Amino acid sequence: GENVEQHPSTLSVQEGDSAVIKCTYSDSASNYFPWYKQELGKGPQLIIDIRSNVGEKKDQRIAVTLNKTAKHFSLHITETQPEDSAVYFCAAVRGSSNTGKLIFGQGTTLQVKP
Amino acid sequence: GAVVSQHPSWVICKSGTSVKIECRSLDFQATTMFWYRQFPKQSLMLMATSNEGSKATYEQGVEKDKFLINHASLTLSTLTVTSAHPEDSSFYICSARQEAQYFGPGTRLLVL
């Protein structure tokens, strides 16, 4: 089955710097890759997603890139702010987003220092 | 849009009692909902897939008689932890699917 590896497990950056979180997946049939942000004591919040027919997607300060050949995808946050501090999870879905189960990475704790 | 609620947000119960957690999709209909369990500083572990009008599909190792799931309508799924024990204490999170998966705020269960 699908396996998703996420790195790094913790990441500390200065406010204003960029942060990059990387994930690799094992199942070449996976074709939907969402990213979630989870604040302490809350449920995960979908922040951006990408489908396998797209190489890059951007939404303001957040961008995701996908390399299908290498089977990895990354989350890029620019101009980080203290409120970006949270745990970020990547996930992969085999099949369409309407039918497949999410397979999560291990999570990355991002700390943005003021 | 795509708002999912959970109730209660936290619950404390005595060992041996049963606890019901509700998951509602507020602004969309969801034929499929999911229940996850999360331990501190860990990722989400899928427990079961809840399908409206049919039996839930449980992941390997999850006791279906322990964690009863009912998906009686297109906007409501319930998880009942039966005969709860301290080891059932955890953060339980549901999600509902509308193209993407949207998560509820979670329910923290503490079994004494």
Side-chain angles (χ1 to χ4, degrees):
Chain A
E2 175 65 281
N3 183 52
V4 178
E5 296 287 333
Q6 183 172 345
H7 298 281
S9 57
T10 60
L11 180 59
S12 181
V13 300
Q14 277 307 127
E15 181 177 1
D17 288 350
S18 295
V20 180
I21 302 171
K22 299 181 179 181
C23 289
T24 59
Y25 60 98
S26 60
D27 190 345
S28 57
S30 292
N31 56 11
Y32 173 65
F33 308 93
W35 285 89
Y36 290 88
K37 174 184 180 182
Q38 186 178 26
E39 297 178 345
L40 191 63
K42 299 183 179 180
Q45 175 191 6
L46 179 68
I47 56 172
I48 196 167
D49 56 10
I50 191 168
R51 287 176 168 79
S52 60
N53 59 346
V54 176
E56 183 175 358
K57 185 177 178 180
K58 189 175 181 179
D59 182 4
Q60 298 183 339
R61 297 187 296 108
I62 296 173
V64 57
T65 59
L66 171 65
N67 183 324
K68 288 172 54 180
T69 303
K71 289 190 285 188
H72 67 69
F73 56 111
S74 300
L75 177 71
H76 304 252
I77 306 174
T78 59
E79 300 172 28
T80 54
Q81 301 167 3
E83 50 265 37
D84 294 330
S85 297
V87 179
Y88 290 81
F89 291 99
C90 64
V93 176
R94 188 173 187 272
S96 76
S97 59
N98 284 341
T99 59
K101 295 186 291 189
L102 290 174
I103 306 299
F104 282 94
Q106 296 86 347
T108 296
T109 300
L110 173 64
Q111 180 186 27
V112 180
K113 299 178 181 177
Chain B
V3 178
V4 177
S5 70
Q6 273 183 251
H7 179 81
S9 56
W10 60 270
V11 58
I12 302 173
C13 70
K14 293 182 179 180
S15 185
T17 60
S18 294
V19 174
K20 180 185 284 188
I21 303 170
E22 293 185 348
C23 178
R24 293 181 185 272
S25 55
L26 297 185
D27 52 359
F28 65 101
Q29 293 182 331
T31 55
T32 303
M33 293 183 175
F34 301 87
W35 286 96
Y36 294 83
R37 185 172 180 178
Q38 187 177 35
F39 292 104
K41 298 187 185 299
Q42 293 190 21
S43 190
L44 287 81
M45 181 187 77
L46 179 65
M47 298 175 65
T49 302
S50 170
N51 301 295
E52 188 268 336
S54 64
K55 291 183 178 180
T57 304
Y58 291 82
E59 295 300 303
Q60 191 173 9
V62 178
E63 300 176 60
K64 60 181 180 181
D65 294 330
K66 172 77 173 175
F67 299 99
L68 300 178
I69 292 172
N70 183 277
H71 194 154
S73 78
L74 288 172
T75 59
L76 173 64
S77 175
T78 60
L79 168 69
T80 300
V81 183
T82 62
S83 186
H85 292 287
E87 57 265 30
D88 299 323
S89 299
S90 191
F91 192 50
Y92 293 88
I93 315 173
C94 72
S95 70
R97 186 163 56 196
Q98 185 198 42
E99 296 194 8
Q101 270 194 45
Y102 298 92
F103 286 83
T107 296
R108 190 161 301 282
L109 170 63
L110 177 61
V111 184
L112 301 177

